[in-house]
């Protein structure tokens, strides 16, 4: 069931100032606390931001305008080419999201809703499905497909690099077939992680034949029809919060698909136990306790001292410094 605008804006925030949105008195736009207005077109809020889009994003949007029907009528061929049934294959991707009937799920660049329908089937009336795309024509087709679904559906035109949600809103975030069109993939993936709860899942896939198949006729044939198969694997663009990352190539090895769990900030570890051996110390003291360098001769002497004393470098140096500190009254 499609949520009303009034209900939808309870979960949406302004992509401009991150604050709440309200409807204008005329009801044909949303307005944020800074006074920036966002139109509502065909019952769908247009929260595309920044207002002046990156050229590549505008081009993408223009490309899909007027193409939705043709896209929807022919897209199954992408799977057929590799002897696959589209819905069955997409279900395998969706399974990686680990969604429950009451999950809050975001689909970025939902297009004509080919995955959206399947995602909706995993949710009941306590779940929420939020469908976003930058093309009004594409999302129009998705909207038609959502009429009878049980879950609450929020639809919105937005730029996937600038999502109109507060942090940690979703249990899962999904995007298939679009990342290659984002000029700043790292920013988009960071946004996906920002709006997903810690412990939530993110699944992203797009065209990209792996390096080891690039010198094949298979690849050259594919490239002739769709240059997107030359896209690089955006592994360096994954956000620092990405944990338990898994990567595979799907649809006959022509699309990469990675999934990861959202963690909090940098990875952490136990860096504080004493490491056995002649260096001694811990991971942390080796990193954080570095002192100035010494001559090669002094270094050699130090190692001899350590050996003679039957200790390790960390303990010997620490003792030496503490003794000196005591002598000078510092300790
Ligand atoms: C190839 S279609 C994939 C659609 C759908 N996910 C599927 O698997 O059929 C790519 C979609 O990405 C959307 N898109 C491109 N750039 C976008 C952006 N910056 N933000 C949101 N959507 C974008 C396009 O409008 C288009 O609907």
């Amino acid at each position: 069931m499609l949520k009303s605008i009034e209900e939808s804006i309870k979960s949406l925030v302004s992509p401009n100032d991150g604050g709440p949105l309200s409807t204008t008195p005329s009801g044909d736009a949303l307005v944020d606390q800074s006074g920036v207005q966002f139109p509502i077109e065909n019952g769908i809020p247009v929260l595309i931001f920044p207002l002046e889009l990156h050229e590549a994003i505008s081009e993408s949007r223009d490309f899909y305008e007027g193409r939705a029907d043709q896209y929807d009528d022919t897209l199954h061929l992408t799977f057929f080419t590799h002897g696959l049934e589209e819905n069955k294959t997409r279900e395998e991707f969706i399974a990686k999201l680990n969604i429950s009937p009451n999950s809050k799920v975001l689909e970025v660049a939902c297009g004509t809703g080919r995955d959206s329908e399947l995602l909706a089937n995993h949710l009941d009336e306590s779940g929420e499905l939020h469908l976003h795309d930058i093309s009004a024509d594409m999302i129009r087709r998705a909207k038609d497909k959502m009429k009878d679904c049980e879950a609450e559906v929020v639809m919105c035109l937005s730029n996937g690099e600038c999502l109109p949600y507060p942090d940690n809103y979703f249990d899962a975030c999904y995007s298939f077939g679009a990342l290659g069109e984002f000029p700043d993939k790292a920013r988009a993936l960071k946004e996906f992680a920002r709006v997903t709860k810690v412990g939530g899942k993110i699944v992203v896939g797009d065209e990209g034949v792996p390096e080891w198949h690039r010198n094949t006729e298979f690849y050259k044939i594919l490239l002739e029809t769709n240059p997107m198969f030359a896209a690089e694997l955006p592994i360096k663009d994954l956000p620092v919060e990405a944990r338990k990352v898994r990567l595979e190539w799907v649809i006959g090895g022509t699309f990469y698909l990675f999934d990861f769990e959202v963690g909090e900030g940098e990875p952490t570890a136990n860096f504080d136990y004493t490491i056995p051996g002649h260096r001694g110390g811990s991971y942390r003291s080796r990193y954080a306790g570095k002192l100035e360098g010494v001559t090669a001769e002094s270094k050699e002497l130090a190692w001899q001292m350590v050996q003679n004393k039957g200790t390790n470098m960390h303990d010997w140096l620490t003792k030496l410094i503490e003794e000196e500190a005591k002598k000078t009254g510092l300790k």
Side-chain angles (χ1 to χ4, degrees):
M1 203 180 58
L2 203 60
K3 274 197 186 186
S4 65
I5 294 288
E6 287 68 28
E7 281 301 309
S8 297
I9 59 175
K10 289 181 184 163
S11 50
L12 295 165
V13 296
S14 164
N16 167 48
D17 62 17
L21 291 158
S22 53
T23 38
T24 55
S26 60
D28 57 6
L30 299 177
V31 60
D32 70 13
Q33 288 173 321
S34 324
V36 173
Q37 291 205 6
F38 300 94
I40 300 168
E41 289 169 6
N42 299 320
I44 297 178
V46 184
L47 292 172
I48 296 174
F49 201 79
L51 301 175
E52 184 97 7
L53 282 176
H54 187 290
E55 204 184 327
I57 299 181
S58 296
E59 274 173 18
S60 233
R61 183 167 65 165
D62 296 347
F63 175 84
Y64 286 101
E65 285 313 308
R67 274 206 168 85
D69 294 339
Q70 185 206 345
Y71 179 89
D72 223 20
D73 292 345
T74 57
L75 201 272
H76 67 282
L77 294 174
T78 299
F79 296 79
F80 174 80
T81 310
H82 301 281
L84 297 170
E85 202 275 306
E86 180 178 353
N87 282 356
K88 189 170 169 285
T89 311
R90 287 188 187 260
E91 283 288 6
E92 287 166 11
F93 308 160
I94 288 169
K96 294 172 190 284
L97 289 169
N98 298 340
I99 47 184
S100 315
N102 64 351
S103 292
K104 288 179 183 164
V105 181
L106 170 66
E107 186 185 0
V108 179
C110 64
T112 57
R114 300 179 81 84
D115 279 305
S116 320
E117 272 189 303
L118 307 176
L119 285 164
N121 290 338
H122 289 262
L123 303 171
D124 65 20
E125 67 289 342
S126 61
E128 288 180 21
L129 179 59
H130 294 242
L131 303 177
H132 286 243
D133 200 276
I134 203 150
S135 155
D137 196 29
M138 294 294 269
I139 213 166
R140 164 186 64 80
R141 291 277 302 217
K143 192 178 170 194
D144 290 344
K145 293 176 187 167
M146 290 300 119
K147 279 189 190 118
D148 301 321
C149 78
E150 261 185 66
E152 302 271 21
V153 178
V154 171
M155 301 197 82
C156 191
L157 283 167
S158 76
N159 170 13
E161 291 185 9
C162 197
L163 293 166
Y165 289 98
D167 299 353
N168 307 312
Y169 187 82
F170 293 100
D171 298 297
C173 172
Y174 180 84
S175 186
F176 191 76
L179 192 67
E181 298 181 30
F182 286 75
D184 192 342
K185 293 166 190 53
R187 181 174 169 167
L189 292 168
K190 188 82 181 167
E191 269 297 84
F192 299 179
R194 179 186 68 77
V195 301
T196 305
K197 294 173 190 165
V198 170
K201 284 292 304 275
I202 296 187
V203 174
V204 178
D206 202 8
E207 286 106 328
V209 168
E211 292 297 328
W212 63 91
H213 280 161
R214 297 230 166 167
N215 201 16
T216 60
E217 196 172 32
F218 168 83
Y219 173 61
K220 287 170 197 154
I221 291 172
L222 287 166
L223 211 55
E224 198 56 42
T225 295
N226 182 356
M228 293 295 283
F229 287 115
E232 294 305 317
L233 178 69
I235 201 82
K236 66 172 185 354
D237 296 319
L238 291 190
V240 69
E241 295 84 5
R243 304 281 194 281
K244 299 182 188 170
V245 179
R246 295 184 300 184
L247 170 67
E248 65 175 308
W249 274 265
V250 295
I251 318 184
T254 58
F255 283 64
Y256 60 81
L257 184 79
F258 54 79
D259 67 279
F260 60 89
E261 200 177 290
V262 177
E264 224 167 348
E266 284 191 24
T268 55
N270 177 4
F271 287 145
D272 297 305
Y273 62 91
T274 301
I275 302 170
H278 62 286
R279 265 183 86 188
S282 65
Y283 276 95
R284 197 174 309 282
S285 68
R286 287 177 184 186
Y287 164 76
K290 269 188 196 158
L291 295 173
E292 192 49 67
V294 291
T295 62
E297 292 76 21
S298 301
K299 185 176 168 186
E300 179 53 33
L301 274 174
W303 279 117
Q304 280 178 23
M305 293 293 289
V306 167
Q307 216 173 8
N308 290 348
K309 300 250 174 210
T311 180
N312 64 53
M313 184 59 88
H314 172 269
D315 289 355
W316 180 70
L317 279 174
T318 305
K319 201 163 163 243
L320 213 64
I321 293 165
E322 280 177 0
E323 279 170 6
E324 278 303 303
K326 267 185 205 146
K327 275 189 215 159
T328 53
L330 273 174
K331 210 169 169 199

